[in-house]
Amino acid sequence: MGWKDTAEPVLTRMPTVQRPEGHVPFKRKLGWTAGVLVLYFFLTNVYLFGLGGGQGGDVFGQFRSILAGGQGTILQLGIGPIVTASIVLQLLGGADLLGLDTQNNPRDQVLYQGLQKFLVIVMICLTGLPMVFAGSFLPASDALAVTFPGGTFGVKWLMFAQIFVGGVLILYMDEVISKWGVGSGIGLFIIAGVSQRLIGGLVSTSFIGNPQEIGIIPYWIGIVTGEVDVGPILGSGFQTLIFGQGQILALITTVMIFVVVVYAESVRVEIPLSNTRVKGARGRFPVKLIYASVLPMILVRALQANIQFLGRILNAQLGSMPAWLGVYQQSSGGVANPVGGLFYYMAPVRNPAQWMWWLGETSNAPWQIVTRVGVDLTFMVIGGAIFAIFWVETTDMGPEATAKQIHNSGMEIPGFRRNVSVIEKVLERYIPQVTVIGGALVGLLAVLANMMGTIGDVSGTGLLLTVSITYKIYEEIAEEQLMEMHPMMRQMFG
Amino acid sequence: MSSSDSGGLMSSAGLVRYFDAEDRNAIRIDPKTVIAFGALFGFLVLVLRATV
């Protein structure tokens, strides 16, 4: 009981966004969601005051697509701190170290909410400080440092202050959407970032962006009109079309992921329910294949992202690391990527060029590549399963909590005794197994999608998250509209 | 909608969870304040950048 009493005065006073009183009309909800989205896009385009030229590449590297935000902007941190804080909470909650009963006890609910916010703020500092002060990820402007009190050091603190405000803003924008809008802010920011990249990967042309990153549609128009020469179709041209800039493989993978996720969303075990009082009122409790949703996957990826972040910081600080730990190579974009050592094996494979050794785009030996893919697969499949279990436990979706909810809503499983523990026994036959299978499957899918490559380099996880979050939002909107049309339904849903 | 009771039962929120319970001591912020502050902060940084 110790920590609760000590922390209570701080945690209960964390500022929260007001709750709407009564029902928010659907149009208003859309309004709030659109407003926050516009603000988000605006802030990802506002670069930090005091930021100098010659940036050392994105700190988040390949993880930027799932962590949202933008390098060098106010939203430098994106949803990184929220995700990292969530990992800590999931681990603490999953191991039942917190001792908080979030299902029944209102005081514990308040404490949990406060603890969440507090942890996010701690993580903003823990990830923001090294980003500003270590390495050259956010170099201070020399012109400003001359006149600014405190010189370069002062400018760096000023940049950290802006990043800090940006991180806190993301947290509160999420809260506004969760309480007043549709879905959750975090989901929305992920979709926003990934969709932007997807569109970019489809249509960007050489005069808008990087000539190396021509979108798939302009590239193929170029081939048809004869502007682009891919070489002999039976030789190197074939390789370029499938794996290279032709992106045929990436297109197939992207479409496949869409199909698989939407299909997997509909695969479920349905447990029949009937009302104890109203005879004939029947329902079904669905245990979906992706019961824990795809969100736990972001936790595993964030864990990997933090390991790579540590590697980049160490590399930038030490200059040269021991070879067993990590060997880094500057890429053309100025980003240091690991090419050997422990950090190489811990880095997830992102596109075909990184593992298809026969294409000659990687200098690593096949055994090294196989080890790296093996580590990534193990990490994602086992990590996915573990975090799915924790997720189900901490969000009160486990057998015990669900049984209570079903019982309290006056439902029973026909043919079984009317008892919480009986419902729990039946649910225990399905929920844990489905959770583990679903979590491992999503992990496997993410790795496979990454290996095959995706349009716009959005990464398998980014794509999985986007499709499943969009599907959830679609369901929520459908439900919302149903209630608007039939006000009676609202009473039934509660 | 597969069944009439799944809406209330499945509580898979986002990464951050918000409950109905709130402490009386907590500072409450109007959602408009959050958006207004974000927009003003963005503009402030833009203006500051333009001065250098």
Side-chain angles (χ1 to χ4, degrees):
Chain A
M1 276 310 178
W3 76 268
K4 282 197 215 173
D5 298 314
T6 324
E8 194 174 327
V10 181
L11 295 187
T12 53
R13 280 184 180 76
M14 284 284 172
T16 52
V17 172
Q18 227 165 27
R19 264 188 184 282
E21 285 167 13
H23 178 73
V24 183
F26 182 58
K27 276 190 182 158
R28 285 283 286 286
K29 279 193 174 182
L30 276 187
W32 281 115
T33 314
V36 171
L37 203 57
V38 169
L39 179 64
Y40 169 79
F41 275 125
F42 168 60
L43 290 179
T44 50
N45 283 299
V46 178
Y47 286 87
L48 292 168
F49 173 60
L51 183 69
Q55 287 180 42
D58 198 333
V59 202
F60 282 152
Q62 62 174 98
F63 298 100
R64 178 57 81 188
S65 65
I66 39 173
L67 293 181
Q71 167 72 19
T73 66
I74 295 180
L75 301 186
Q76 161 81 21
L77 292 170
I79 59 168
I82 298 181
V83 177
T84 315
S86 177
I87 295 179
V88 177
L89 263 184
Q90 298 282 323
L91 291 177
L92 289 177
D96 210 14
L97 290 172
L98 290 174
L100 290 177
D101 177 14
T102 49
Q103 216 187 352
N104 303 313
N105 190 340
R107 177 175 165 263
D108 282 2
Q109 293 183 346
V110 172
L111 282 178
Y112 185 89
Q113 290 184 124
L115 186 64
Q116 255 177 178
K117 286 220 172 92
F118 179 73
L119 274 177
V120 171
I121 290 170
V122 169
M123 290 304 162
I124 290 175
C125 297
L126 277 185
T127 44
L129 285 172
M131 260 181 209
V132 177
F133 290 100
S136 58
F137 303 109
L138 296 168
S141 155
D142 294 326
L144 187 69
V146 178
T147 53
F148 197 78
T152 312
F153 196 63
V155 175
K156 290 216 161 188
W157 273 109
L158 187 69
M159 286 200 289
F160 173 71
Q162 293 168 61
I163 291 180
F164 183 84
V165 174
V168 175
L169 262 175
I170 287 251
L171 178 64
Y172 280 99
M173 273 150 64
D174 171 63
E175 195 170 344
V176 170
I177 295 222
S178 298
K179 288 180 176 170
W180 294 78
V182 184
S184 79
I186 292 163
L188 203 67
F189 301 148
I190 296 174
I191 301 181
V194 172
S195 311
Q196 206 178 8
R197 274 165 177 258
L198 262 184
I199 302 288
L202 280 175
V203 299
S204 84
T205 54
S206 51
F207 31 83
I208 304 178
N210 188 344
Q212 288 297 311
E213 293 165 5
I214 302 176
I216 178 168
I217 295 174
Y219 189 79
W220 278 89
I221 292 175
I223 292 176
V224 172
T225 55
E227 268 175 55
V228 180
D229 182 26
V230 288
I233 192 76
L234 290 175
S236 62
F238 181 73
Q239 195 172 312
T240 316
L241 285 184
I242 301 282
F243 307 115
Q245 283 199 301
Q247 299 202 70
I248 292 182
L249 191 64
L251 184 67
I252 295 174
T253 318
T254 310
V255 174
M256 278 302 290
I257 291 287
F258 266 85
V259 174
V260 169
V261 172
V262 174
Y263 174 71
E265 283 283 347
S266 67
V267 177
R268 61 186 81 191
V269 180
E270 283 181 336
I271 297 168
L273 297 172
S274 65
N275 201 298
T276 43
R277 281 193 225 105
V278 188
K279 290 290 163 207
R282 286 178 177 270
R284 269 175 258 132
F285 180 76
V287 182
K288 287 185 180 177
L289 176 59
I290 316 184
Y291 187 66
S293 92
V294 185
L295 272 169
M297 199 48 38
I298 198 176
L299 302 179
V300 189
R301 281 296 190 210
L303 213 57
Q304 289 177 314
N306 281 328
I307 293 172
Q308 292 302 316
F309 175 46
L310 183 73
R312 288 213 167 92
I313 293 281
L314 279 179
N315 179 49
Q317 281 302 89
L318 298 177
S320 66
M321 270 192 274
W324 62 267
L325 195 59
V327 182
Y328 280 77
Q329 199 175 51
Q330 291 284 340
S331 73
S332 54
V335 189
N337 284 319
V339 289
L342 191 64
F343 283 114
Y344 170 76
Y345 297 113
M346 302 285 268
V349 178
R350 192 193 181 186
N351 51 41
Q354 285 182 345
W355 66 277
M356 292 185 179
W357 58 85
W358 59 88
L359 296 183
E361 285 185 49
T362 166
S363 54
N364 293 91
W367 70 267
Q368 286 180 310
I369 293 168
V370 171
T371 315
R372 182 181 173 190
V373 172
V375 170
D376 192 19
L377 260 180
T378 319
F379 217 95
M380 288 295 276
V381 170
I382 296 180
I386 290 175
F387 273 103
I389 296 171
F390 283 166
W391 183 266
V392 165
E393 278 307 314
T394 46
T395 51
D396 294 331
M397 287 163 74
E400 198 189 334
T402 315
K404 262 188 209 150
Q405 286 165 6
I406 292 179
H407 188 74
N408 290 346
S409 65
M411 302 299 266
E412 60 175 353
I413 302 174
F416 288 87
R417 250 186 308 137
R418 197 181 309 161
N419 188 323
V420 183
S421 59
V422 172
I423 302 179
E424 190 187 325
K425 279 241 172 67
V426 176
L427 289 175
E428 254 173 14
R429 280 189 222 155
Y430 301 103
I431 292 182
Q433 287 86 334
V434 170
T435 308
V436 170
I437 295 172
L441 187 80
V442 171
L444 185 70
L445 263 182
V447 174
L448 285 182
N450 263 11
M451 286 173 75
M452 297 298 152
T454 43
I455 296 282
D457 240 352
V458 292
S459 86
T461 319
L463 206 56
L464 277 171
L465 283 166
T466 304
V467 182
S468 90
I469 294 169
T470 314
Y471 192 82
K472 282 250 155 61
I473 291 182
Y474 160 74
E475 280 184 336
E476 204 182 315
I477 290 177
E479 189 178 313
E480 197 73 35
Q481 278 189 325
L482 193 72
M483 287 196 225
E484 297 264 300
M485 278 191 283
H486 310 283
M488 280 288 286
M489 295 290 278
R490 205 174 301 143
Q491 292 167 355
M492 286 176 68
F493 282 104
Chain B
M1 290 309 299
S2 58
S3 65
S4 61
D5 49 343
S6 67
L9 289 173
M10 299 275 278
S11 63
S12 76
L15 276 176
V16 187
R17 298 176 66 209
Y18 303 100
F19 297 100
D20 287 328
E22 262 167 18
D23 198 84
R24 264 174 283 114
N25 294 326
I27 306 154
R28 288 198 177 68
I29 313 169
D30 193 61
K32 283 187 194 116
T33 318
V34 175
I35 299 202
F37 177 78
L40 280 178
F41 182 70
F43 276 117
L44 178 77
V45 175
L46 275 184
V47 169
L48 277 176
R49 273 183 71 88
T51 57
V52 179

